[in-house]
Amino acid sequence: MPFELYVDSLFTSPYALSAFVALTEKRLPFTLKTVDLEAGEQRGDYADRALTARVPALVEGEFVLTESSAITEFLEDSFPPPEYLALYPKDKRQRAQARQVQAWLRSDLAPLRVERDTETVFFGKACAPLTPAAQAAAAKLLHVAGQLVRGPNLFGDWCLADVDLATMLQRLIANGDPVPQALKDYAAGQWRRPSVRQWLERHQPG
């Protein structure tokens, strides 16, 4: 049966974006459902179904899966290449590196994620200059990205880690923080990808 994907009602979650892109790139039929996090809809009935009470959540009948990395790896295992587009590199070392990037982006750089939340990216919400802790996180992000980015994609062919890294870079780029031009070009290229554009078009005002 077709999947249901639960995302935040503002379409600002980078993790919901990642799951949305994964389903779209695989060309899998799905229905998009929204959860109003500000109104507390993630509690109650939603929490009874979605184990971690967070978005995104992927639903297939009675099967409900939360956490974007678990969702995308489930989709890759269930709908593998070559019949479906690969979300991760074919080479096992590059695949491990792509997952390394994703895990790092989800677990590190907390000051940057707080001070440059994605509402500042998608809606231009005003924000203050970065604190020293966030500046250190930004410097770490730019250092790692500078080591990895050598072309339009991280590992030759596109993979899902490209979208996740580009979205993190956009936290700086969209707010006018210093970012090397090569990384700006990389992030802009990833956000021109049709699957990402479909997400952006859903929440952009006007």
Side-chain angles (χ1 to χ4, degrees), residues 7-189:
V7 305
D8 62 301
S9 59
L10 292 178
F11 293 90
T12 58
S13 166
Y15 314 117
L17 165 61
S18 190
F20 176 90
V21 167
L23 284 162
T24 303
E25 294 285 350
K26 292 281 188 187
R27 299 184 181 275
L28 297 171
F30 69 99
T31 301
L32 204 59
K33 306 278 189 175
T34 59
V35 180
D36 189 337
L37 302 179
E38 293 185 354
E41 288 183 358
Q42 69 273 29
R43 298 185 284 272
D45 292 343
Y46 182 78
D48 290 338
R49 297 187 69 198
L51 182 64
T52 60
R54 303 204 298 180
V55 295
L58 184 72
V59 178
E60 185 183 27
E62 296 301 314
F63 177 70
V64 182
L65 187 64
T66 58
E67 304 305 309
S68 60
S69 57
I71 290 170
T72 58
E73 290 188 21
F74 168 74
L75 293 173
E76 185 78 332
D77 290 342
S78 301
F79 305 93
E83 184 177 357
Y84 298 90
L85 183 76
L87 300 178
Y88 295 97
K90 181 178 181 180
D91 178 82
K92 66 180 182 180
R93 290 185 175 182
Q94 290 185 337
R95 188 164 61 249
Q97 289 176 319
R99 287 173 170 154
Q100 172 185 247
V101 170
Q102 290 184 301
W104 173 64
L105 292 171
R106 284 158 173 74
S107 62
D108 200 357
L109 311 176
L112 181 59
R113 286 187 274 118
V114 170
E115 297 183 30
R116 294 291 184 266
D117 66 52
T118 46
E119 286 191 35
T120 71
V121 175
F122 295 118
F123 296 121
K125 185 182 77 173
C127 57
L130 292 173
T131 64
Q135 289 177 19
K140 185 175 183 180
L141 170 63
L142 297 179
H143 173 75
V144 172
Q147 296 294 309
L148 291 171
V149 173
R150 293 292 183 269
N153 301 309
L154 292 175
F155 304 105
D157 293 331
W158 174 87
C159 74
L160 196 56
D162 284 302
V163 172
D164 291 344
L165 179 57
T167 302
M168 184 62 81
L169 289 169
Q170 290 287 3
R171 294 174 188 262
L172 296 175
I173 296 166
N175 287 290
D177 297 304
V179 176
Q181 188 61 47
L183 296 182
K184 288 183 179 180
D185 294 342
Y186 164 78

